[in-house]
CSV table of all heavy atoms in Angstrom, one decimal:
chain,number,residue,atom,x,y,z
A,1,PRO,N,178.6,71.5,53.4
A,1,PRO,CA,178.3,72.9,53.3
A,1,PRO,C,178.9,73.6,52.1
A,1,PRO,O,178.3,74.4,51.5
A,1,PRO,CB,178.9,73.5,54.6
A,1,PRO,CG,178.9,72.3,55.6
A,1,PRO,CD,179.2,71.1,54.7
A,2,GLU,N,180.2,73.3,51.8
A,2,GLU,CA,180.9,73.9,50.7
A,2,GLU,C,180.3,73.5,49.4
A,2,GLU,O,180.2,74.3,48.4
A,2,GLU,CB,182.4,73.6,50.7
A,2,GLU,CG,182.8,72.2,50.6
A,2,GLU,CD,182.8,71.4,51.9
A,2,GLU,OE1,182.0,71.7,52.8
A,2,GLU,OE2,183.7,70.6,52.0
A,3,TYR,N,179.8,72.3,49.3
A,3,TYR,CA,179.1,71.8,48.1
A,3,TYR,C,177.8,72.5,47.9
A,3,TYR,O,177.3,72.9,46.8
A,3,TYR,CB,178.9,70.3,48.1
A,3,TYR,CG,178.3,69.8,46.8
A,3,TYR,CD1,179.1,69.6,45.7
A,3,TYR,CD2,177.0,69.3,46.7
A,3,TYR,CE1,178.6,69.1,44.5
A,3,TYR,CE2,176.5,68.8,45.6
A,3,TYR,CZ,177.3,68.7,44.4
A,3,TYR,OH,176.8,68.2,43.3
A,4,ARG,N,177.1,72.8,49.0
A,4,ARG,CA,175.8,73.5,49.0
A,4,ARG,C,176.0,74.9,48.4
A,4,ARG,O,175.2,75.3,47.6
A,4,ARG,CB,175.2,73.6,50.4
A,4,ARG,CG,173.9,74.3,50.5
A,4,ARG,CD,173.4,74.6,51.9
A,4,ARG,NE,172.1,75.1,51.9
A,4,ARG,CZ,171.6,76.3,51.6
A,4,ARG,NH1,172.5,77.2,51.2
A,4,ARG,NH2,170.3,76.6,51.6
A,5,GLN,N,177.1,75.5,48.8
A,5,GLN,CA,177.3,76.9,48.3
A,5,GLN,C,177.7,76.9,46.8
A,5,GLN,O,177.3,77.8,46.1
A,5,GLN,CB,178.5,77.6,49.1
A,5,GLN,CG,178.1,78.1,50.4
A,5,GLN,CD,176.8,78.9,50.4
A,5,GLN,OE1,175.7,78.4,50.8
A,5,GLN,NE2,176.8,80.1,49.9
A,6,ILE,N,178.3,75.8,46.3
A,6,ILE,CA,178.6,75.7,44.9
A,6,ILE,C,177.3,75.5,44.1
A,6,ILE,O,177.1,76.1,43.1
A,6,ILE,CB,179.5,74.5,44.6
A,6,ILE,CG1,181.0,74.9,45.1
A,6,ILE,CG2,179.5,74.2,43.1
A,6,ILE,CD1,181.7,75.9,44.2
A,7,ILE,N,176.3,74.8,44.7
A,7,ILE,CA,175.0,74.6,44.1
A,7,ILE,C,174.3,75.9,44.1
A,7,ILE,O,173.6,76.2,43.1
A,7,ILE,CB,174.2,73.5,44.9
A,7,ILE,CG1,174.9,72.1,44.7
A,7,ILE,CG2,172.8,73.5,44.4
A,7,ILE,CD1,174.8,71.6,43.2
A,8,VAL,N,174.3,76.7,45.1
A,8,VAL,CA,173.7,78.0,45.2
A,8,VAL,C,174.3,78.9,44.1
A,8,VAL,O,173.5,79.6,43.3
A,8,VAL,CB,173.8,78.6,46.6
A,8,VAL,CG1,173.4,80.1,46.5
A,8,VAL,CG2,173.0,77.9,47.6
A,9,GLU,N,175.6,78.9,44.0
A,9,GLU,CA,176.3,79.7,42.9
A,9,GLU,C,175.8,79.2,41.5
A,9,GLU,O,175.6,80.0,40.6
A,9,GLU,CB,177.8,79.6,43.1
A,9,GLU,CG,178.3,80.2,44.3
A,9,GLU,CD,179.8,79.9,44.6
A,9,GLU,OE1,180.5,79.7,43.6
A,9,GLU,OE2,180.3,79.9,45.7
A,10,LEU,N,175.7,77.9,41.4
A,10,LEU,CA,175.3,77.4,40.1
A,10,LEU,C,173.9,77.8,39.7
A,10,LEU,O,173.6,78.2,38.6
A,10,LEU,CB,175.4,75.8,40.1
A,10,LEU,CG,174.8,75.1,39.0
A,10,LEU,CD1,175.5,75.4,37.7
A,10,LEU,CD2,174.9,73.6,39.2
A,11,LEU,N,173.0,77.8,40.7
A,11,LEU,CA,171.6,78.2,40.4
A,11,LEU,C,171.5,79.7,40.0
A,11,LEU,O,170.8,80.1,39.1
A,11,LEU,CB,170.7,77.9,41.6
A,11,LEU,CG,170.4,76.5,41.9
A,11,LEU,CD1,169.8,76.3,43.3
A,11,LEU,CD2,169.4,76.0,40.8
A,12,MET,N,172.4,80.5,40.7
A,12,MET,CA,172.4,81.9,40.3
A,12,MET,C,172.9,82.1,38.9
A,12,MET,O,172.4,82.9,38.1
A,12,MET,CB,173.3,82.7,41.3
A,12,MET,CG,172.8,82.7,42.7
A,12,MET,SD,171.2,83.5,42.9
A,12,MET,CE,171.7,85.3,42.8
A,13,ILE,N,173.9,81.3,38.5
A,13,ILE,CA,174.5,81.3,37.1
A,13,ILE,C,173.4,80.9,36.1
A,13,ILE,O,173.3,81.6,35.1
A,13,ILE,CB,175.7,80.4,37.0
A,13,ILE,CG1,176.9,81.1,37.8
A,13,ILE,CG2,176.1,80.2,35.6
A,13,ILE,CD1,178.0,80.2,38.0
A,14,VAL,N,172.7,79.8,36.4
A,14,VAL,CA,171.7,79.4,35.5
A,14,VAL,C,170.6,80.4,35.3
A,14,VAL,O,170.2,80.7,34.1
A,14,VAL,CB,171.0,78.1,36.0
A,14,VAL,CG1,169.8,77.7,35.2
A,14,VAL,CG2,172.0,76.9,36.1
A,15,SER,N,170.3,81.1,36.3
A,15,SER,CA,169.2,82.2,36.2
A,15,SER,C,169.7,83.3,35.3
A,15,SER,O,169.0,83.8,34.5
A,15,SER,CB,168.9,82.7,37.6
A,15,SER,OG,168.2,83.9,37.6
A,16,VAL,N,171.0,83.7,35.5
A,16,VAL,CA,171.5,84.8,34.7
A,16,VAL,C,171.6,84.4,33.2
A,16,VAL,O,171.2,85.2,32.3
A,16,VAL,CB,172.9,85.2,35.2
A,16,VAL,CG1,173.6,86.2,34.3
A,16,VAL,CG2,172.8,85.9,36.6
A,17,ILE,N,172.0,83.2,33.0
A,17,ILE,CA,172.1,82.7,31.6
A,17,ILE,C,170.7,82.7,30.9
A,17,ILE,O,170.6,83.2,29.8
A,17,ILE,CB,172.7,81.3,31.5
A,17,ILE,CG1,174.2,81.4,31.9
A,17,ILE,CG2,172.6,80.7,30.1
A,17,ILE,CD1,174.9,80.1,32.0
A,18,LEU,N,169.7,82.2,31.6
A,18,LEU,CA,168.4,82.2,31.0
A,18,LEU,C,167.8,83.6,30.8
A,18,LEU,O,167.1,83.8,29.9
A,18,LEU,CB,167.5,81.3,31.9
A,18,LEU,CG,167.8,79.8,32.0
A,18,LEU,CD1,166.8,79.1,33.0
A,18,LEU,CD2,167.7,79.2,30.6
A,19,GLU,N,168.1,84.4,31.8
A,19,GLU,CA,167.6,85.8,31.7
A,19,GLU,C,168.2,86.5,30.5
A,19,GLU,O,167.5,87.3,29.8
A,19,GLU,CB,168.1,86.6,33.0
A,19,GLU,CG,167.5,87.9,33.1
A,19,GLU,CD,167.8,88.5,34.5
A,19,GLU,OE1,169.0,88.7,34.8
A,19,GLU,OE2,166.9,88.8,35.3
A,20,ARG,N,169.5,86.3,30.1
A,20,ARG,CA,170.1,86.9,29.0
A,20,ARG,C,169.9,86.2,27.7
A,20,ARG,O,170.2,86.8,26.6
A,20,ARG,CB,171.6,87.0,29.3
A,20,ARG,CG,172.0,87.9,30.5
A,20,ARG,CD,173.5,87.9,30.7
A,20,ARG,NE,173.8,88.7,31.9
A,20,ARG,CZ,175.0,88.8,32.4
A,20,ARG,NH1,176.0,88.1,31.8
A,20,ARG,NH2,175.2,89.6,33.4
A,21,ASN,N,169.3,85.0,27.7
A,21,ASN,CA,169.1,84.2,26.5
A,21,ASN,C,167.6,83.7,26.5
A,21,ASN,O,167.4,82.5,26.8
A,21,ASN,CB,170.1,83.1,26.4
A,21,ASN,CG,171.5,83.5,26.3
A,21,ASN,OD1,172.0,83.8,25.3
A,21,ASN,ND2,172.2,83.6,27.5
A,22,PRO,N,166.7,84.6,26.3
A,22,PRO,CA,165.3,84.2,26.3
A,22,PRO,C,164.9,83.0,25.4
A,22,PRO,O,163.8,82.4,25.5
A,22,PRO,CB,164.5,85.5,26.0
A,22,PRO,CG,165.5,86.3,25.3
A,22,PRO,CD,166.8,86.0,25.8
A,23,GLU,N,165.7,82.8,24.4
A,23,GLU,CA,165.4,81.7,23.4
A,23,GLU,C,165.7,80.3,23.9
A,23,GLU,O,165.3,79.3,23.4
A,23,GLU,CB,166.1,81.9,22.1
A,23,GLU,CG,167.6,81.7,22.2
A,23,GLU,CD,168.5,82.8,22.7
A,23,GLU,OE1,167.9,83.8,23.3
A,23,GLU,OE2,169.7,82.8,22.7
A,24,PHE,N,166.4,80.2,25.1
A,24,PHE,CA,166.8,78.9,25.6
A,24,PHE,C,165.8,78.4,26.6
A,24,PHE,O,165.2,79.2,27.4
A,24,PHE,CB,168.2,79.0,26.3
A,24,PHE,CG,169.3,79.0,25.4
A,24,PHE,CD1,170.3,80.0,25.5
A,24,PHE,CD2,169.4,78.1,24.3
A,24,PHE,CE1,171.4,80.0,24.7
A,24,PHE,CE2,170.5,78.1,23.5
A,24,PHE,CZ,171.5,79.1,23.6
A,25,GLU,N,165.7,77.1,26.6
A,25,GLU,CA,164.8,76.4,27.6
A,25,GLU,C,165.4,75.0,27.8
A,25,GLU,O,165.8,74.4,26.8
A,25,GLU,CB,163.4,76.3,27.1
A,25,GLU,CG,162.4,75.7,28.1
A,25,GLU,CD,161.0,75.7,27.6
A,25,GLU,OE1,160.3,76.6,27.9
A,25,GLU,OE2,160.6,74.7,26.9
A,26,PHE,N,165.4,74.5,29.0
A,26,PHE,CA,165.9,73.2,29.2
A,26,PHE,C,164.8,72.2,28.8
A,26,PHE,O,163.7,72.3,29.2
A,26,PHE,CB,166.2,73.0,30.7
A,26,PHE,CG,167.4,73.7,31.2
A,26,PHE,CD1,167.3,74.9,31.9
A,26,PHE,CD2,168.7,73.3,30.9
A,26,PHE,CE1,168.4,75.6,32.4
A,26,PHE,CE2,169.8,73.9,31.4
A,26,PHE,CZ,169.7,75.1,32.1
A,27,GLN,N,165.2,71.2,28.0
A,27,GLN,CA,164.3,70.2,27.5
A,27,GLN,C,164.2,69.0,28.5
A,27,GLN,O,163.1,68.4,28.5
A,27,GLN,CB,164.7,69.7,26.1
A,27,GLN,CG,164.7,70.8,25.1
A,27,GLN,CD,163.4,71.5,24.9
A,27,GLN,OE1,162.4,70.8,24.7
A,27,GLN,NE2,163.4,72.8,24.8
A,28,GLU,N,165.2,68.7,29.2
A,28,GLU,CA,165.2,67.6,30.1
A,28,GLU,C,165.4,68.1,31.5
A,28,GLU,O,165.7,69.3,31.8
A,28,GLU,CB,166.4,66.7,29.7
A,28,GLU,CG,166.3,66.1,28.3
A,28,GLU,CD,167.5,65.2,28.0
A,28,GLU,OE1,168.4,65.1,28.9
A,28,GLU,OE2,167.5,64.6,27.0
A,29,LYS,N,165.2,67.2,32.5
A,29,LYS,CA,165.4,67.5,33.9
A,29,LYS,C,166.8,68.0,34.1
A,29,LYS,O,167.8,67.5,33.6
A,29,LYS,CB,165.2,66.2,34.7
A,29,LYS,CG,165.4,66.4,36.2
A,29,LYS,CD,164.9,65.2,36.9
A,29,LYS,CE,165.6,63.9,36.5
A,29,LYS,NZ,165.1,62.7,37.1
A,30,VAL,N,166.9,69.1,34.9
A,30,VAL,CA,168.2,69.7,35.1
A,30,VAL,C,168.8,69.0,36.4
A,30,VAL,O,168.4,69.2,37.5
A,30,VAL,CB,168.1,71.2,35.3
A,30,VAL,CG1,169.5,71.8,35.7
A,30,VAL,CG2,167.6,71.9,34.1
A,31,ASP,N,169.9,68.2,36.2
A,31,ASP,CA,170.6,67.6,37.3
A,31,ASP,C,171.8,68.4,37.7
A,31,ASP,O,172.8,68.5,37.0
A,31,ASP,CB,171.0,66.2,36.8
A,31,ASP,CG,171.6,65.3,37.9
A,31,ASP,OD1,172.1,65.9,38.9
A,31,ASP,OD2,171.7,64.1,37.8
A,32,LEU,N,171.6,69.1,38.8
A,32,LEU,CA,172.6,70.1,39.2
A,32,LEU,C,173.9,69.3,39.6
A,32,LEU,O,175.0,69.9,39.4
A,32,LEU,CB,172.1,70.9,40.4
A,32,LEU,CG,170.9,71.7,40.2
A,32,LEU,CD1,170.5,72.4,41.5
A,32,LEU,CD2,171.1,72.7,39.1
A,33,ASP,N,173.8,68.1,40.1
A,33,ASP,CA,175.0,67.4,40.5
A,33,ASP,C,175.8,67.1,39.2
A,33,ASP,O,177.1,67.1,39.2
A,33,ASP,CB,174.7,66.0,41.2
A,33,ASP,CG,174.0,66.3,42.5
A,33,ASP,OD1,174.5,67.1,43.3
A,33,ASP,OD2,173.0,65.6,42.8
A,34,ARG,N,175.2,66.7,38.1
A,34,ARG,CA,175.8,66.4,36.9
A,34,ARG,C,176.6,67.7,36.4
A,34,ARG,O,177.7,67.6,35.9
A,34,ARG,CB,174.8,65.9,35.8
A,34,ARG,CG,175.4,65.8,34.4
A,34,ARG,CD,174.3,65.5,33.4
A,34,ARG,NE,174.8,65.7,32.1
A,34,ARG,CZ,174.0,65.8,31.0
A,34,ARG,NH1,172.7,65.7,31.1
A,34,ARG,NH2,174.5,65.9,29.8
A,35,LEU,N,176.0,68.8,36.5
A,35,LEU,CA,176.6,70.1,36.0
A,35,LEU,C,177.9,70.4,36.8
A,35,LEU,O,178.9,70.8,36.2
A,35,LEU,CB,175.6,71.2,36.1
A,35,LEU,CG,174.4,71.2,35.1
A,35,LEU,CD1,173.4,72.3,35.4
A,35,LEU,CD2,174.9,71.3,33.7
A,36,VAL,N,177.8,70.2,38.1
A,36,VAL,CA,179.0,70.4,39.0
A,36,VAL,C,180.1,69.4,38.6
A,36,VAL,O,181.3,69.8,38.5
A,36,VAL,CB,178.6,70.3,40.5
A,36,VAL,CG1,179.9,70.4,41.3
A,36,VAL,CG2,177.7,71.5,40.8
A,37,THR,N,179.7,68.2,38.4
A,37,THR,CA,180.7,67.1,38.0
A,37,THR,C,181.4,67.5,36.7
A,37,THR,O,182.6,67.4,36.6
A,37,THR,CB,180.0,65.8,37.9
A,37,THR,OG1,179.4,65.4,39.1
A,37,THR,CG2,181.0,64.7,37.5
A,38,GLU,N,180.6,68.0,35.7
A,38,GLU,CA,181.2,68.4,34.5
A,38,GLU,C,182.1,69.6,34.7
A,38,GLU,O,183.3,69.6,34.1
A,38,GLU,CB,180.1,68.7,33.4
A,38,GLU,CG,179.4,67.4,33.0
A,38,GLU,CD,178.4,67.7,31.9
A,38,GLU,OE1,178.3,68.9,31.5
A,38,GLU,OE2,177.6,66.8,31.6
């Protein structure tokens, strides 16, 4: 459950970053587990 909430927080962060930076786009598949690991 606690990891699920971190993933939810991560998705909200990704959304805000993309919203504020319209020039950005992910070129590859977004692996949420990899982002949390980093």
Side-chain angles (χ1 to χ4, degrees):
E2 62 272 38
Y3 185 74
R4 183 191 189 279
Q5 283 311 104
I6 288 291
I7 292 294
V8 169
E9 292 172 27
L10 172 59
L11 286 166
M12 297 296 285
I13 289 168
V14 172
S15 171
V16 170
I17 291 174
L18 292 178
E19 189 175 60
R20 295 176 180 176
N21 299 274
E23 71 279 9
F24 282 132
E25 182 178 271
F26 290 102
Q27 299 299 314
E28 299 179 355
K29 177 170 59 183
V30 177
D31 187 336
L32 300 179
D33 296 315
R34 174 190 164 192
L35 290 173
V36 173
T37 298
E38 291 183 7

